[in-house]
Amino acid sequence: MLNFIIGPLVAYGIGRILLDKEPFIFLGFLMLVVTPCTDWYLLFTKLAKGNVPLAASLLPVNLLLQIALLPFYLYLFSGVKRTFSISMLLESVFYMFLLPFLLAIIIKRRKGRGVQKWRAFFTSSGMLFLSLAVMMMLASEGSYLSRHFSVLYVLLLPLLVFFIITFLAVFLISKVLRFKTCDVISLHFITLARNSPLALAMATIAFEKQPEGSLALGLGPLIELLLLAFIVYLFLCN
């Protein structure tokens, strides 16, 4: 409900108030915040000592629901109809979900000291690969970014408002339902972490002639990652 009902409605309201004069940035912002993260939220959950198995179990749910609902959100809130082709969708699902899943199963079944070393390396290098992923997302819009970096400042306030509202909503729900601390941490990152690579792939088609939307999706992680790191710090301090 938080990710796919309440969140999109809150995002639409924030966008209409703060981004009404920037329609393409508004659409990029909308695509950013209505697509729950399908990767790096697990890293932050682990760093903050949350319930990683529970968080991981929701990954396919988040992925499948955002694939089904993102075109609906775009049409409902903005009238955008052409978002992706079937071939692009299948390719995205393969590279984002199926290929990593199959590689994980193969590596997990293999034994030997060499395999154990590689597993230890990937386990301890999550932040490195996260940084590389963000760098590649920004590099894909590098030429436009260098000329329109001001988009970052336009996105700053709407994203902060969205994250603050989401954080407070999770805090109140967790208090009412008396969740365990590790589950509270998981719920925070499941609802705060945004920016699915699938949304960025769709944006390249939806905003083919207006790259502001794609740029908003590429710049969003710069704000989001700093905020998530700060929340990890808060949980570890407590």
Side-chain angles (χ1 to χ4, degrees):
M1 289 180 64
L2 284 170
N3 273 339
F4 296 104
I5 298 177
I6 298 174
L9 293 175
V10 171
Y12 178 76
I14 294 172
R16 281 303 175 201
I17 295 172
L18 299 177
L19 296 172
D20 194 46
K21 296 182 180 180
E22 302 285 350
F24 292 103
I25 297 179
F26 163 66
L27 286 178
F29 165 77
L30 186 67
M31 293 180 72
L32 172 69
V33 297
V34 302
T35 50
C37 183
T38 55
D39 36 49
W40 62 51
Y41 78 97
L42 292 174
L43 173 62
F44 287 103
T45 301
K46 181 179 179 180
L47 291 174
K49 300 181 180 179
N51 189 337
V52 176
L54 175 63
S57 70
L58 290 175
L59 189 155
V61 176
N62 283 342
L63 177 64
L64 294 174
L65 283 178
Q66 66 182 252
I67 289 173
L69 293 177
L70 182 55
F72 169 74
Y73 292 141
L74 289 177
Y75 179 73
L76 178 66
F77 294 143
S78 63
V80 175
K81 295 181 180 180
R82 181 174 177 264
T83 54
F84 60 86
S85 63
I86 296 299
S87 60
M88 187 213 73
L89 175 62
L90 294 176
E91 182 180 357
S92 298
V93 171
F94 175 76
Y95 284 115
M96 287 168 45
F97 183 69
L98 292 180
L99 182 59
F101 181 69
L102 292 174
L103 289 175
I105 292 177
I106 293 171
I107 294 174
K108 193 174 182 66
R109 291 180 178 274
R110 293 181 64 86
K111 298 180 180 180
R113 295 181 60 185
V115 175
Q116 295 299 324
K117 288 181 179 179
W118 278 107
R119 289 178 63 180
F121 168 73
F122 283 111
T123 300
S124 62
S125 303
M127 189 59 70
L128 170 63
F129 288 106
L130 173 60
S131 301
L132 289 173
V134 174
M135 182 183 71
M136 295 303 294
M137 290 173 68
L138 294 175
S140 67
E141 299 291 338
S143 60
Y144 191 83
L145 172 60
S146 63
R147 300 192 302 270
H148 299 84
F149 199 75
S150 59
V151 174
L152 179 63
Y153 304 111
V154 176
L155 276 175
L156 182 60
L157 181 58
L159 279 177
L160 287 178
V161 172
F162 177 82
F163 286 135
I164 290 172
I165 292 175
T166 303
F167 184 88
L168 292 176
V170 171
F171 177 80
L172 293 174
I173 290 172
S174 300
K175 286 291 185 182
V176 172
L177 298 180
R178 298 181 180 180
F179 288 164
K180 296 179 181 178
T181 300
C182 61
D183 294 338
V184 174
I185 293 172
S186 300
L187 183 58
H188 272 297
F189 288 110
I190 288 167
T191 54
L192 286 172
R194 304 283 101 185
N195 197 250
S196 166
L198 180 64
L200 187 60
M202 289 183 178
T204 60
I205 294 179
F207 307 123
E208 185 176 0
K209 297 182 179 179
Q210 297 290 342
E212 294 97 332
S214 299
L215 188 59
L217 283 164
L219 286 173
L222 292 180
I223 302 171
E224 175 191 344
L225 293 175
L226 291 174
L227 183 65
L228 295 179
F230 176 71
I231 293 174
V232 169
Y233 173 77
L234 290 180
F235 282 127
L236 293 179
C237 287
N238 293 328

